[in-house]
Amino acid sequence: MSDGKNNLKKIFSKNIFLGSFNEIDKIPNINIAECCFVGRSNVGKSSLINSITNNKKLARTSKTPGRTQSVNLIEIDKIINLVDLPGYGYAKVSKSIREELAILIEAYISERPNLLLVFVLIDCKVGIKDSDIDILDLINSCNKDIYVVLTKVDKCAKNFILEQKKSILSLMSNYKKNFKEIFISSSKKKEGILNIQKEIFNLPKKL
Ligand code: GDP
């Protein structure tokens, strides 16, 4: 068990930042399996990607929401692409930038041929918002696998986490065909990271 954990740690540590892109056509098409992370600003996406890749600087962690406004491409061990999408739903960003980001996210999810699954991050304390439903609808219409990740669970009581999980599972019955699983995570406590790594590691088999 711990050997498997160490192997995954080694594999995910072999990561290369391939670049930040503001236009879908500029993202290189490398013929390997791809997954992406999406969520509202401040959901803990950068922290989670940093935990998965054992790299504190790979995705920019910031106390200022809305900073990551481009598509960031990270290659894992030359076998998997991990993509960090811009955060959505940040009120302090102007309407035109919000619209630009929505277009970029939609273009990415609908046009990447090797994109196999999308991790939709939901802050456990905040729960699902309308903007999350919009994203879930989009992923569903593109027929990509959906994994929900409840983030920052260290901030919530066990019962609350269970209730939140239950209510999300009930919502996901609307996305039966594409919804696969819900993960619970805390980057702060390094909880749930291994399960997410395992899922990503299995991606090339699905290509
Ligand atoms: P992003 O905007 O989605 O990339 O979110 P960040 O990773 O930058 O995190 C936003 C804020 O949440 C930061 O202040 C982080 O320190 C905090 N944060 C992220 N993950 C966790 C977590 O697992 N637990 C707690 N308590 N705070 C977290």
Side-chain angles (χ1 to χ4, degrees):
M1 174 67 187
S2 75
D3 267 3
K5 188 176 171 182
N6 286 336
N7 272 343
L8 281 174
K9 195 170 176 185
K10 259 191 220 154
I11 288 163
F12 279 86
S13 297
K14 287 188 224 156
N15 55 66
I16 306 170
F17 181 73
L18 294 181
S20 268
F21 306 90
N22 292 310
E23 286 168 62
I24 187 80
D25 301 339
K26 301 249 165 76
I27 310 175
N29 259 314
I30 306 151
N31 199 23
I32 56 178
E34 192 160 293
C35 64
C36 72
F37 289 77
V38 69
R40 286 165 55 81
S41 281
N42 211 37
V43 71
K45 186 162 52 65
S46 309
S47 305
L48 185 67
I49 292 172
N50 291 344
S51 298
I52 291 168
T53 54
N54 309 299
N55 186 334
K56 287 202 180 92
K57 286 180 254 155
L58 202 51
R60 283 175 295 179
T61 318
S62 161
K63 289 206 189 311
T64 315
R67 241 184 72 185
T68 37
Q69 294 179 355
S70 46
V71 172
N72 298 308
L73 186 61
I74 297 155
E75 192 185 69
I76 308 290
D77 197 21
K78 296 191 167 60
I79 51 169
I80 301 156
N81 275 342
L82 194 155
V83 172
D84 178 16
L85 290 180
Y88 52 79
Y90 182 46
K92 284 187 188 163
V93 171
S94 73
K95 192 167 173 248
S96 67
I97 290 184
R98 276 207 306 267
E99 280 167 2
E100 264 174 44
L101 291 180
I103 290 168
L104 185 63
I105 292 172
E106 180 163 354
Y108 170 79
I109 291 178
S110 57
E111 289 175 30
R112 286 296 277 181
N114 289 358
L115 176 66
L116 300 178
L117 74 85
V118 182
F119 291 101
V120 180
L121 276 53
I122 305 290
D123 187 321
C124 188
K125 212 168 172 182
V126 177
I128 297 250
K129 298 283 179 193
D130 286 350
S131 49
D132 299 313
I133 306 271
D134 291 344
I135 282 287
L136 287 165
D137 288 345
L138 167 67
I139 306 165
N140 206 46
S141 72
C142 296
N143 207 19
K144 307 285 183 191
D145 285 356
I146 302 171
Y147 285 74
V148 173
V149 183
L150 267 186
T151 62
K152 310 189 194 178
V153 294
D154 58 279
K155 287 169 94 174
C156 301
K158 264 201 181 113
N159 277 344
F160 185 84
I161 300 169
L162 284 177
E163 284 306 313
Q164 199 64 281
K165 203 176 159 183
K166 241 204 285 184
S167 99
I168 291 173
L169 280 174
S170 138
L171 173 79
M172 296 316 286
S173 61
N174 296 324
Y175 306 97
K176 251 190 205 127
K177 188 166 160 252
N178 295 93
F179 170 66
K180 299 295 167 199
E181 213 178 320
I182 179 162
F183 291 121
I184 275 172
S185 81
S186 162
S187 300
K188 195 175 173 187
K189 297 271 164 72
K190 300 283 173 268
E191 212 183 303
I193 307 300
L194 184 62
N195 287 338
I196 300 172
Q197 285 176 328
K198 280 183 190 161
E199 207 52 63
I200 300 173
F201 180 69
N202 280 327
L203 263 189
K205 291 179 201 153
K206 297 180 185 171
L207 192 66

